Coordinates of all heavy atoms in Angstrom, one line a residue:
M14 N 48.1 -9.0 17.1 CA 49.5 -9.2 17.1 C 49.8 -9.9 15.7 O 49.1 -10.8 15.3 CB 49.9 -10.2 18.2 CG 51.3 -10.5 18.2 SD 51.8 -11.3 19.7 CE 53.5 -10.9 19.8
A15 N 50.9 -9.4 15.0 CA 51.3 -9.9 13.8 C 52.0 -11.2 13.9 O 52.6 -11.5 14.9 CB 52.1 -8.9 13.1
N16 N 51.9 -12.0 12.9 CA 52.8 -13.2 12.8 C 54.1 -12.8 12.4 O 54.5 -12.7 11.2 CB 52.2 -14.2 11.8 CG 52.9 -15.5 11.8 OD1 54.1 -15.5 12.0 ND2 52.3 -16.6 11.3
M17 N 55.0 -12.6 13.4 CA 56.3 -12.0 13.1 C 57.3 -13.0 12.3 O 58.1 -12.5 11.6 CB 57.0 -11.6 14.4 CG 56.3 -10.4 15.0 SD 55.9 -9.0 13.9 CE 57.6 -8.5 13.5
E18 N 57.1 -14.3 12.5 CA 57.9 -15.2 11.6 C 57.5 -15.0 10.2 O 58.4 -15.1 9.3 CB 57.7 -16.6 12.1 CG 58.5 -16.9 13.4 CD 60.0 -16.5 13.5 OE1 60.7 -16.7 12.5 OE2 60.4 -16.0 14.5
Q19 N 56.3 -14.8 9.9 CA 55.8 -14.6 8.5 C 56.2 -13.3 8.0 O 56.7 -13.2 6.8 CB 54.2 -14.7 8.5 CG 53.7 -15.1 7.2 CD 52.2 -15.4 7.4 OE1 51.5 -14.8 8.2 NE2 51.7 -16.3 6.6
I20 N 56.2 -12.3 8.8 CA 56.7 -10.9 8.5 C 58.2 -11.0 8.2 O 58.7 -10.4 7.2 CB 56.4 -9.9 9.5 CG1 55.0 -9.7 9.8 CG2 57.1 -8.6 9.3 CD1 54.2 -9.1 8.7
W21 N 59.0 -11.7 9.0 CA 60.4 -11.9 8.8 C 60.7 -12.6 7.5 O 61.6 -12.3 6.7 CB 61.1 -12.6 10.0 CG 62.5 -12.9 9.8 CD1 63.1 -14.1 9.9 CD2 63.6 -12.0 9.3 NE1 64.4 -14.1 9.6 CE2 64.7 -12.8 9.2 CE3 63.6 -10.7 8.9 CZ2 65.9 -12.3 8.8 CZ3 64.8 -10.2 8.5 CH2 66.0 -11.0 8.4
A22 N 59.9 -13.7 7.2 CA 60.2 -14.5 5.9 C 59.9 -13.5 4.8 O 60.6 -13.6 3.8 CB 59.2 -15.6 5.9
Y23 N 58.8 -12.7 4.8 CA 58.5 -11.7 3.8 C 59.7 -10.8 3.6 O 60.1 -10.4 2.5 CB 57.2 -11.0 4.1 CG 56.8 -10.0 3.1 CD1 56.4 -10.4 1.9 CD2 56.7 -8.7 3.5 CE1 56.0 -9.4 0.9 CE2 56.3 -7.7 2.6 CZ 56.0 -8.1 1.3 OH 55.6 -7.1 0.4
T24 N 60.2 -10.2 4.8 CA 61.2 -9.2 4.7 C 62.5 -9.8 4.2 O 63.2 -9.2 3.4 CB 61.4 -8.7 6.1 OG1 60.2 -8.1 6.6 CG2 62.6 -7.6 6.2
R25 N 62.8 -11.0 4.6 CA 64.0 -11.8 4.2 C 63.9 -12.0 2.6 O 64.9 -11.8 1.9 CB 64.1 -13.1 4.9 CG 65.5 -13.7 4.9 CD 65.7 -14.9 5.8 NE 64.7 -15.9 5.6 CZ 63.7 -16.1 6.5 NH1 63.6 -15.5 7.6 NH2 62.8 -17.1 6.3
T26 N 62.8 -12.3 2.1 CA 62.6 -12.5 0.7 C 62.9 -11.2 -0.1 O 63.5 -11.2 -1.1 CB 61.2 -13.0 0.3 OG1 61.0 -14.4 0.9 CG2 61.0 -13.1 -1.1
Y27 N 62.3 -10.2 0.5 CA 62.5 -8.8 0.0 C 64.0 -8.4 -0.1 O 64.5 -8.0 -1.1 CB 61.7 -7.8 0.9 CG 62.0 -6.3 0.6 CD1 61.5 -5.8 -0.6 CD2 62.7 -5.6 1.5 CE1 61.7 -4.4 -0.8 CE2 62.8 -4.2 1.2 CZ 62.3 -3.6 0.1 OH 62.5 -2.3 -0.1
M28 N 64.7 -8.7 1.0 CA 66.1 -8.4 1.0 C 66.9 -9.4 0.1 O 67.8 -8.8 -0.6 CB 66.6 -8.6 2.4 CG 66.1 -7.6 3.4 SD 66.4 -8.0 5.2 CE 68.2 -7.5 5.2
E29 N 66.6 -10.6 0.0 CA 67.3 -11.5 -0.9 C 67.1 -11.2 -2.3 O 68.0 -11.5 -3.2 CB 66.9 -13.0 -0.6 CG 67.4 -13.5 0.7 CD 66.8 -14.8 1.2 OE1 65.9 -15.3 0.5 OE2 67.3 -15.3 2.2
S30 N 66.0 -10.5 -2.6 CA 65.8 -10.1 -4.0 C 66.5 -8.8 -4.4 O 66.3 -8.3 -5.5 CB 64.3 -9.9 -4.3 OG 63.8 -8.7 -3.7
G31 N 67.2 -8.2 -3.4 CA 67.9 -7.0 -3.7 C 66.9 -5.8 -3.6 O 67.1 -4.8 -4.3
R32 N 65.8 -6.0 -2.8 CA 64.8 -5.0 -2.7 C 64.0 -4.8 -4.0 O 63.5 -3.7 -4.2 CB 65.3 -3.7 -2.1 CG 65.9 -3.9 -0.8 CD 66.7 -2.7 -0.2 NE 65.8 -1.5 -0.2 CZ 66.0 -0.4 -1.0 NH1 66.9 -0.4 -1.8 NH2 65.1 0.6 -0.9
T33 N 63.8 -5.8 -4.8 CA 63.1 -5.7 -6.0 C 61.8 -6.5 -6.0 O 60.9 -6.3 -6.9 CB 63.9 -6.1 -7.2 OG1 64.2 -7.5 -7.1 CG2 65.2 -5.3 -7.4
N34 N 61.6 -7.4 -5.0 CA 60.4 -8.2 -5.0 C 59.9 -8.3 -3.6 O 60.3 -9.1 -2.7 CB 60.7 -9.7 -5.4 CG 59.5 -10.6 -5.4 OD1 58.4 -10.1 -5.5 ND2 59.7 -11.9 -5.3
P35 N 59.0 -7.4 -3.2 CA 58.3 -6.4 -4.1 C 59.2 -5.1 -4.2 O 60.2 -5.0 -3.5 CB 57.0 -6.1 -3.4 CG 57.4 -6.2 -2.0 CD 58.3 -7.4 -2.0
E36 N 58.7 -4.1 -4.9 CA 59.4 -2.8 -5.0 C 59.3 -2.2 -3.6 O 58.4 -2.5 -2.8 CB 58.7 -1.9 -6.0 CG 58.8 -2.4 -7.4 CD 60.2 -2.4 -7.9 OE1 61.0 -1.4 -7.5 OE2 60.6 -3.3 -8.6
P37 N 60.2 -1.3 -3.2 CA 60.2 -0.7 -1.9 C 58.9 0.0 -1.4 O 58.5 -0.2 -0.3 CB 61.4 0.3 -1.9 CG 62.3 -0.3 -2.9 CD 61.4 -0.9 -4.0
T38 N 58.2 0.7 -2.3 CA 57.0 1.3 -1.9 C 55.9 0.3 -1.6 O 55.1 0.5 -0.7 CB 56.5 2.3 -3.1 OG1 56.4 1.5 -4.3 CG2 57.4 3.4 -3.2
S39 N 55.9 -0.8 -2.3 CA 54.9 -1.9 -2.0 C 55.3 -2.5 -0.7 O 54.3 -3.0 0.1 CB 54.9 -2.9 -3.2 OG 54.4 -2.4 -4.3
F40 N 56.5 -2.8 -0.5 CA 57.1 -3.4 0.8 C 56.6 -2.6 2.0 O 56.0 -3.1 2.9 CB 58.5 -3.5 0.7 CG 59.1 -4.0 2.1 CD1 59.0 -5.3 2.4 CD2 59.9 -3.2 2.9 CE1 59.6 -5.8 3.6 CE2 60.5 -3.6 4.0 CZ 60.3 -4.9 4.4
V41 N 56.8 -1.3 1.9 CA 56.3 -0.4 3.0 C 54.9 -0.4 3.2 O 54.3 -0.5 4.3 CB 56.9 1.0 2.8 CG1 56.3 2.1 3.7 CG2 58.4 1.1 2.9
A42 N 54.1 -0.3 2.0 CA 52.6 -0.3 2.1 C 52.1 -1.6 2.7 O 51.2 -1.6 3.5 CB 52.1 -0.1 0.7
D43 N 52.8 -2.7 2.3 CA 52.3 -4.0 2.9 C 52.5 -4.0 4.4 O 51.6 -4.5 5.1 CB 53.1 -5.1 2.2 CG 52.7 -5.4 0.8 OD1 51.6 -4.9 0.4 OD2 53.4 -6.1 0.0
L44 N 53.7 -3.6 4.8 CA 53.9 -3.6 6.3 C 53.0 -2.6 7.0 O 52.6 -2.9 8.1 CB 55.4 -3.3 6.6 CG 56.4 -4.4 6.2 CD1 57.8 -4.1 6.6 CD2 56.0 -5.8 6.9
N45 N 52.7 -1.5 6.4 CA 51.8 -0.5 7.0 C 50.4 -1.2 7.2 O 49.7 -0.9 8.2 CB 51.7 0.8 6.2 CG 52.7 1.8 6.5 OD1 53.2 1.9 7.7 ND2 53.2 2.5 5.5
S46 N 50.0 -2.0 6.3 CA 48.7 -2.6 6.3 C 48.6 -3.7 7.5 O 47.6 -4.0 7.9 CB 48.3 -3.3 5.0 OG 49.0 -4.4 4.8
V47 N 49.7 -4.1 7.9 CA 49.8 -5.1 9.0 C 49.5 -4.5 10.3 O 48.9 -5.1 11.2 CB 51.1 -5.9 9.0 CG1 51.3 -6.7 10.2 CG2 51.3 -6.7 7.8
G48 N 50.0 -3.2 10.5 CA 49.8 -2.5 11.8 C 50.7 -3.0 12.9 O 50.3 -3.4 14.0
L49 N 52.0 -3.1 12.6 CA 53.0 -3.5 13.6 C 53.1 -2.6 14.8 O 52.9 -1.4 14.7 CB 54.4 -3.5 13.0 CG 54.5 -4.5 11.8 CD1 56.0 -4.3 11.2 CD2 54.4 -5.9 12.2
T50 N 53.3 -3.2 16.0 CA 53.5 -2.4 17.2 C 54.9 -2.0 17.2 O 55.8 -2.5 16.5 CB 53.2 -3.2 18.4 OG1 54.2 -4.4 18.5 CG2 51.8 -3.8 18.4
V51 N 55.3 -1.1 18.1 CA 56.6 -0.6 18.3 C 57.6 -1.8 18.6 O 58.7 -1.9 18.0 CB 56.7 0.6 19.3 CG1 58.2 0.9 19.6 CG2 56.0 1.8 18.8
S52 N 57.2 -2.6 19.5 CA 58.0 -3.7 19.9 C 58.2 -4.7 18.7 O 59.3 -5.3 18.5 CB 57.5 -4.5 21.1 OG 56.2 -5.0 20.9
E53 N 57.2 -4.9 17.9 CA 57.3 -5.8 16.8 C 58.3 -5.2 15.8 O 59.1 -5.9 15.2 CB 55.9 -6.1 16.2 CG 55.0 -6.9 16.9 CD 53.6 -6.9 16.5 OE1 53.2 -6.0 15.8 OE2 52.9 -8.0 16.8
M54 N 58.2 -3.9 15.6 CA 59.1 -3.2 14.6 C 60.5 -3.3 15.2 O 61.4 -3.5 14.4 CB 58.6 -1.7 14.5 CG 59.5 -1.0 13.5 SD 59.8 -1.7 11.9 CE 58.2 -1.2 11.1
D55 N 60.7 -3.1 16.4 CA 62.0 -3.2 17.0 C 62.6 -4.6 16.7 O 63.8 -4.7 16.4 CB 62.0 -2.9 18.5 CG 61.8 -1.4 18.8 OD1 61.9 -0.6 17.9 OD2 61.5 -1.1 20.0
W56 N 61.8 -5.6 17.0 CA 62.2 -7.0 16.7 C 62.7 -7.2 15.3 O 63.6 -7.8 14.9 CB 61.1 -7.9 17.1 CG 61.4 -9.4 16.9 CD1 61.9 -10.3 17.8 CD2 61.1 -10.2 15.7 NE1 62.0 -11.5 17.2 CE2 61.5 -11.5 15.9 CE3 60.5 -9.9 14.5 CZ2 61.4 -12.5 15.1 CZ3 60.4 -10.9 13.5 CH2 60.8 -12.2 13.8
L57 N 61.8 -6.6 14.4 CA 62.1 -6.8 12.9 C 63.4 -6.0 12.5 O 64.2 -6.6 11.8 CB 60.9 -6.3 12.1 CG 61.0 -6.5 10.6 CD1 61.2 -7.9 10.2 CD2 59.7 -5.9 9.9
K58 N 63.6 -4.9 13.0 CA 64.8 -4.2 12.8 C 66.0 -4.9 13.2 O 67.1 -4.9 12.6 CB 64.8 -2.8 13.4 CG 63.8 -1.8 12.7 CD 63.7 -0.5 13.4 CE 62.9 0.5 12.7 NZ 62.8 1.8 13.5
Q59 N 65.9 -5.5 14.4 CA 67.0 -6.4 14.9 C 67.3 -7.6 14.0 O 68.5 -7.9 13.7 CB 66.8 -6.9 16.3 CG 66.8 -5.8 17.3 CD 66.4 -6.3 18.8 OE1 65.9 -7.4 18.9 NE2 66.7 -5.5 19.8
K60 N 66.3 -8.2 13.5 CA 66.4 -9.3 12.5 C 67.1 -8.8 11.3 O 68.0 -9.5 10.8 CB 65.1 -10.0 12.2 CG 64.4 -10.7 13.4 CD 65.2 -11.9 13.9 CE 64.7 -13.1 13.1 NZ 65.3 -14.3 13.6
V61 N 66.6 -7.7 10.8 CA 67.2 -7.1 9.5 C 68.7 -6.8 9.8 O 69.6 -7.2 9.0 CB 66.5 -5.9 9.1 CG1 67.2 -5.1 8.0 CG2 65.1 -6.3 8.6
A62 N 69.0 -6.2 10.8 CA 70.4 -5.8 11.2 C 71.3 -6.9 11.3 O 72.5 -6.9 11.0 CB 70.4 -4.9 12.4
S63 N 70.8 -8.1 11.8 CA 71.7 -9.2 12.0 C 71.6 -10.3 10.8 O 72.2 -11.3 10.9 CB 71.3 -10.0 13.3 OG 70.0 -10.4 13.2
W64 N 70.9 -9.9 9.8 CA 70.8 -10.9 8.6 C 72.1 -11.2 8.0 O 73.0 -10.3 7.8 CB 69.9 -10.1 7.5 CG 69.7 -10.8 6.2 CD1 69.0 -12.0 6.1 CD2 70.1 -10.4 4.9 NE1 69.0 -12.4 4.8 CE2 69.6 -11.4 4.0 CE3 70.7 -9.3 4.4 CZ2 69.8 -11.3 2.7 CZ3 70.9 -9.2 3.0 CH2 70.4 -10.2 2.2
P65 N 72.5 -12.5 7.9 CA 73.8 -12.9 7.5 C 74.0 -12.7 6.0 O 75.1 -12.7 5.5 CB 73.8 -14.4 7.8 CG 72.4 -14.8 7.8 CD 71.6 -13.6 8.3
G66 N 72.9 -12.4 5.2 CA 73.1 -12.1 3.9 C 72.6 -13.2 2.9 O 72.3 -14.3 3.3
G67 N 72.5 -12.8 1.7 CA 72.1 -13.7 0.6 C 73.3 -14.0 -0.2 O 74.4 -14.2 0.2
S68 N 73.0 -14.2 -1.5 CA 74.0 -14.7 -2.5 C 75.0 -13.7 -3.0 O 75.9 -14.0 -3.7 CB 73.3 -15.4 -3.6 OG 72.5 -14.5 -4.3
Q69 N 74.8 -12.4 -2.5 CA 75.7 -11.4 -3.0 C 76.4 -10.7 -1.8 O 76.0 -9.6 -1.4 CB 74.9 -10.3 -3.8 CG 74.1 -10.9 -5.0 CD 73.3 -9.9 -5.6 OE1 73.1 -8.9 -5.1 NE2 72.6 -10.3 -6.8
P70 N 77.4 -11.4 -1.2 CA 78.0 -10.9 0.0 C 78.4 -9.4 -0.1 O 78.4 -8.7 1.0 CB 79.2 -11.8 0.2 CG 78.8 -13.0 -0.5 CD 78.0 -12.6 -1.7
G71 N 78.9 -8.9 -1.2 CA 79.4 -7.6 -1.3 C 78.3 -6.5 -1.1 O 78.6 -5.4 -0.8
T72 N 77.0 -6.9 -1.3 CA 76.0 -5.9 -1.3 C 75.1 -6.1 -0.1 O 74.2 -5.3 0.2 CB 75.0 -6.1 -2.6 OG1 74.5 -7.4 -2.6 CG2 75.8 -5.8 -3.8
N73 N 75.4 -7.1 0.8 CA 74.6 -7.4 2.0 C 74.4 -6.1 2.8 O 73.3 -5.8 3.3 CB 75.2 -8.5 2.8 CG 74.9 -9.8 2.1 OD1 74.1 -9.9 1.2 ND2 75.7 -10.8 2.5
Q74 N 75.5 -5.4 3.2 CA 75.4 -4.3 4.1 C 74.6 -3.2 3.5 O 73.8 -2.5 4.1 CB 76.7 -3.8 4.6 CG 76.7 -2.8 5.8 CD 76.0 -3.5 7.0 OE1 76.4 -4.6 7.4 NE2 75.0 -2.8 7.5
I75 N 74.8 -3.0 2.2 CA 73.9 -2.0 1.4 C 72.4 -2.3 1.6 O 71.6 -1.5 1.8 CB 74.4 -1.9 -0.1 CG1 75.8 -1.3 -0.1 CG2 73.4 -1.0 -0.8 CD1 76.4 -1.5 -1.4
I76 N 72.1 -3.5 1.3 CA 70.7 -4.0 1.4 C 70.2 -3.9 2.8 O 69.1 -3.4 3.0 CB 70.6 -5.5 0.9 CG1 70.9 -5.5 -0.6 CG2 69.2 -6.0 1.2 CD1 71.0 -6.9 -1.2
I77 N 71.0 -4.2 3.8 CA 70.6 -4.1 5.2 C 70.3 -2.7 5.5 O 69.2 -2.3 6.0 CB 71.7 -4.6 6.1 CG1 71.6 -6.2 6.0 CG2 71.4 -4.2 7.6 CD1 72.9 -6.9 6.8
N78 N 71.2 -1.7 5.1 CA 71.0 -0.3 5.4 C 69.8 0.3 4.7 O 69.0 1.0 5.3 CB 72.2 0.5 5.1 CG 73.4 0.2 6.0 OD1 73.2 -0.4 7.1 ND2 74.6 0.5 5.6
A79 N 69.6 -0.1 3.4 CA 68.5 0.3 2.7 C 67.1 -0.2 3.2 O 66.1 0.5 3.3 CB 68.6 0.0 1.2
T80 N 67.1 -1.4 3.7 CA 66.0 -2.0 4.3 C 65.6 -1.4 5.6 O 64.4 -1.1 5.8 CB 66.0 -3.6 4.4 OG1 66.4 -4.1 3.2 CG2 64.8 -4.2 5.0
L81 N 66.6 -1.1 6.4 CA 66.4 -0.4 7.7 C 65.8 1.0 7.4 O 64.9 1.5 8.1 CB 67.6 -0.3 8.5 CG 68.1 -1.6 9.1 CD1 69.5 -1.4 9.7 CD2 67.1 -2.0 10.1
D82 N 66.3 1.7 6.3 CA 65.7 3.0 5.9 C 64.3 2.8 5.5 O 63.4 3.6 5.8 CB 66.6 3.5 4.8 CG 66.1 5.0 4.5 OD1 66.1 5.8 5.4 OD2 65.8 5.3 3.3
D83 N 64.0 1.7 4.7 CA 62.6 1.5 4.3 C 61.7 1.4 5.5 O 60.5 1.9 5.5 CB 62.5 0.2 3.5 CG 63.2 0.3 2.1 OD1 63.3 1.4 1.6 OD2 63.6 -0.8 1.6
L84 N 62.2 0.6 6.5 CA 61.4 0.4 7.7 C 61.1 1.7 8.5 O 60.1 1.8 9.2 CB 62.1 -0.6 8.7 CG 62.1 -2.0 8.1 CD1 63.0 -2.9 9.0 CD2 60.8 -2.6 7.8
R85 N 61.9 2.7 8.3 CA 61.6 4.0 9.0 C 60.4 4.7 8.4 O 59.8 5.6 9.0 CB 62.8 5.0 8.8 CG 64.0 4.6 9.6 CD 65.2 5.5 9.5 NE 66.3 5.0 10.1 CZ 67.3 4.3 9.5 NH1 67.3 4.2 8.2 NH2 68.3 3.9 10.2
H86 N 59.9 4.2 7.2 CA 58.7 4.7 6.6 C 57.4 3.9 7.0 O 56.4 4.3 6.6 CB 58.8 4.7 5.1 CG 60.0 5.6 4.7 ND1 59.9 7.0 4.6 CD2 61.2 5.3 4.3 CE1 61.1 7.5 4.2 NE2 61.9 6.5 4.0
V87 N 57.6 2.9 7.8 CA 56.5 2.1 8.3 C 56.0 2.6 9.5 O 56.7 2.9 10.5 CB 56.9 0.6 8.4 CG1 55.8 -0.3 9.0 CG2 57.4 0.0 7.1
Q88 N 54.7 2.9 9.6 CA 54.0 3.4 10.8 C 53.8 2.3 11.8 O 53.4 1.2 11.4 CB 52.8 4.1 10.5 CG 52.9 5.3 9.6 CD 51.6 6.0 9.3 OE1 50.6 5.5 9.6 NE2 51.7 7.1 8.7
T89 N 54.1 2.6 13.0 CA 53.7 1.6 14.1 C 52.5 2.0 14.9 O 52.2 3.2 14.9 CB 55.0 1.4 15.0 OG1 55.4 2.6 15.5 CG2 56.1 0.7 14.3
H90 N 52.0 1.1 15.6 CA 50.8 1.4 16.4 C 51.0 1.0 17.9 O 51.8 0.3 18.2 CB 49.6 0.6 15.9 CG 49.4 0.9 14.4 ND1 48.7 2.0 13.9 CD2 49.7 0.2 13.3 CE1 48.6 2.0 12.7 NE2 49.2 0.9 12.2

């Protein structure tokens, strides 16, 4: 079982950076290496969707949608 609070902190940092830290391909690869279960991925998607945003309110929904799209490329187990 993955440490989901740690995964969420990593994902939140990714989102707050505007999806630049790390780059999207590295973000997906890192999450693939964790081996998230379907229920863990569902939890993470809910957290992403309800993210209140970072310092750029106008781009928050764009970042949320793009991150949810990134998560579609992560394989679950």
Side-chain angles (χ1 to χ4, degrees):
M14 179 171 207
N16 180 336
M17 293 310 294
E18 289 303 323
Q19 208 170 32
I20 298 293
W21 171 233
Y23 177 68
T24 302
R25 199 170 53 247
T26 298
Y27 172 70
M28 295 170 72
E29 288 169 355
S30 76
R32 298 173 56 248
T33 62
N34 182 25
E36 294 295 323
T38 52
S39 295
F40 174 73
V41 170
D43 290 345
L44 290 182
N45 274 327
S46 71
V47 172
L49 297 173
T50 66
V51 172
S52 62
E53 289 169 336
M54 178 58 75
D55 289 344
W56 180 88
L57 184 57
K58 286 179 180 176
Q59 288 176 351
K60 294 291 273 188
V61 167
S63 64
W64 180 60
S68 60
Q69 302 171 353
T72 61
N73 288 341
Q74 195 58 51
I75 294 167
I76 292 170
I77 288 169
N78 291 341
T80 302
L81 289 171
D82 188 54
D83 294 336
L84 292 176
R85 289 183 188 94
H86 299 284
V87 176
Q88 296 179 353
T89 55
H90 303 280

